[in-house]
Amino acid sequence: MAEQENSGYNAENIQVLEGMEAVRKRPAMYIGDTGERGYHHLVYEVVDNSIDEALAGYCSSIDVVINPDGSLTVQDDGRGIPVDMHPTQHKPAIEVVLTVLHAGGKFDGSNYKVSGGLHGVGVSCVNALSEWMKVEVKRDGKLHHIEFSRGHVTKPLEVVGKCGDETGTRVTFFPDHEIFSCHAFKWEILCARLRELAFLNKGVTIHFRDDEGDAHHEETFHYDGGIDEFVGYLNQNKRPISPVIHFEGEKQGLTGMVQAEVSMQYTESYSTLEQTYCNNIHTIEGGTHLSGFRRALTATIKKYGLDNKLLKDKEFESLTGDDMREGLTVVVSVKVPQPQFEGQTKTKLGNGEVDGIVAGIVSDKLMTFFEENPAAAKVVIEKTRLAAAAREAARAARESTRRKGVMDGLSLPGKLRDCSERDPARTELFLVEGDSAGGSACKGRDRATQAILPLRGKVLNVEKARIDRVLANNEIRSLITAIGCGFGEEWDVSKVRYHKIVIMTDADVDGAHIRTLLLTFFYRKMPELIEKGYVYLAQPPLYKVERKKKSEYVLTDEMLTEKLLSLGLDDCEVNGKDGAPMDPERAAAFLKLLAEIEATAKMVSERGFSPAALVADDSARGSGASMLRKLFSSLAGYGYAPADWFGAGTAAGADGPLAKLLDEVRARGRQGLTVVRFKGLGEMDAAELYETTMNPEKRRILRVKLEDAVKADQMFSLLMGDEVEPRRRFIEDNALTVRNLDF
Ligand code: 0RA
């Protein structure tokens, strides 16, 4: 770190030092964690300052760029961070904002800060946790510049140019890799959050670009319709049965003005999606804004239904809030001057008065909406009635089975081969497709800790069935009893019987389908299992490779090719375009590229296109064309043209010198090897299945994570729901990126 010019430490300097050191010593206390989440949280902290400027009416456009060196820039056209001398700290205000904890707010205290990241720690924390940070401010006609390293000034504030009447702030930072275990910004993660921020703050334009690597993504988010457009976006794969209904208002709360905004729409779906926010923070655990909304919704539907004789008294008695929310998508966004966040992850809004404020806004205006749109009201109430009836039927069925002792865990499903260990933290449940694989799994397993539940036939698609049908399905009943947590109103995650629930299906299309059906079930009906990290996917190998009586298992096609190429390269050299032998690493990378070209070209031609023609045609669009173009531009880096791969014959197969080279190396790799492809789990004997897929010492299993709830809801609606057209489009757009398809 550079010496500071001023060597005499005063009280303020010590405050800065202690503040910055405190953040660096316990980063997790300030930003949650030092993994992927915390790394991206840095960006949100900086962007939140720009959003604040936008909320205050001074900023309309925010640019976010992932730079080629891995740093990130946030630029806005707000007022610019003040650069004049701070009245008490005897240094430029900008230095105070960036080095003193909680100094991000406005000094005069006139306008409260409602934004602020989840931890609301401000941009000074980002500075403390950055290897370097550079800030440029356009203000008062001048361009100002200041630099920091790990929270300390390395280049004091100076004027470096003019800016006319432009204003704004530009912050560039490189997170300290000594502190974080995550070392790169992910496009998808930032995209989801920036899109969300644009929905929540209507009219703001957020422009996002990725200049790192070859990716070059770019997207602009701007929604004049705000959260109404958000609801439309959330429902894009569902069939709406009402228009988007919008309510907003503001009311004096205990600590200042509370603003509330609600957008909702009913769809044909059987699931509910409630996205709630306070000061732009996603309140995953809900809170008083959500409870206020739910209370008002329930009361209003009941009152309207009774007043208009759409509900009989008896039906009225039994309706629950859940029934009235079936198929509902709602976004609730409130701005609260001094929010209290509670709950395990501090994402539950605690301010009591918000409940009443939201309820008040919703009940008045929802009643008006129903009165003005009786047809829509009728559809909603009919759906509510059907949901209640299905729930009642399911409860009756559950009670009758409970009398027979099926659902309470006393009597486990007959097909379950349970383990002897009783501590759930040590046990695993394998959900296995088919009886024959189930048999092998039973024979091979570790009886102490591994239980097997064979599943016969297809699991019900819960996306398209109401609760009564879900609970009538035998496979699903077995699952519920084996897992032990109950279902619906009686759900209790603490009763889970296994901390690892492993989906083990064949590596073919049917297996993928069953896996998706099971994941749909867990995501929609037992999401807490996924949140707690109890759900896993087994990774059975695709191949067995035998060499000199020694056998080895290979998980994927890519790994098999890699293996053959590496064996093949063991005893030969590859010459480059210039005729000189390549060094082994470069040769390996080169052949890997050729293998990728081969696989992609194969998929393209299987779908009726000519890969050579696509490459030759600059105007060709679609994922196939763009993947091939990217691969051939890498090939150009080695000095080769597409013709070196395709050869003379273009339409059918490639026969250029590079295609022959790939074949030759692979053939050498194959010498002395036997490669067996497993079609299904059933083809492995018990010992093989255990060794490759179940043995905790050797297997690889994937934990199912829920990274982005919005995306997950959309994907399950898309893949498993009723709307055919968006699904067809999705499959068409993504067909080329799907590997391991086996028909
Ligand atoms: C303190 C006071 C004022 C603005 C800001 C900070 C400010 C911070 C950031 C961080 C990124 N972009 C920003 N834009 C503004 C108020 C300035 C005034 O009163 O003129």
Side-chain angles (χ1 to χ4, degrees), residues 46 49-50 53 76 79-82 97 104-107 139 169 171:
V46 181
N49 286 281
S50 304
E53 280 293 286
D76 67 49
R79 287 169 291 182
I81 305 178
V97 168
K106 318 295 182 239
F107 305 124
R139 210 181 149 105
T169 305
V171 178

Side-chain angles (χ1 to χ4, degrees), residues 9 60 185-186 204 262 288 385 532 539 598 629 661:
Y9 278 106
S60 63
F185 294 111
K186 282 202 184 146
V204 178
V262 178
T288 48
R385 252 176 23 79
K532 287 221 170 330
Q539 296 283 93
E598 182 187 59
R629 215 166 280 143
L661 171 71

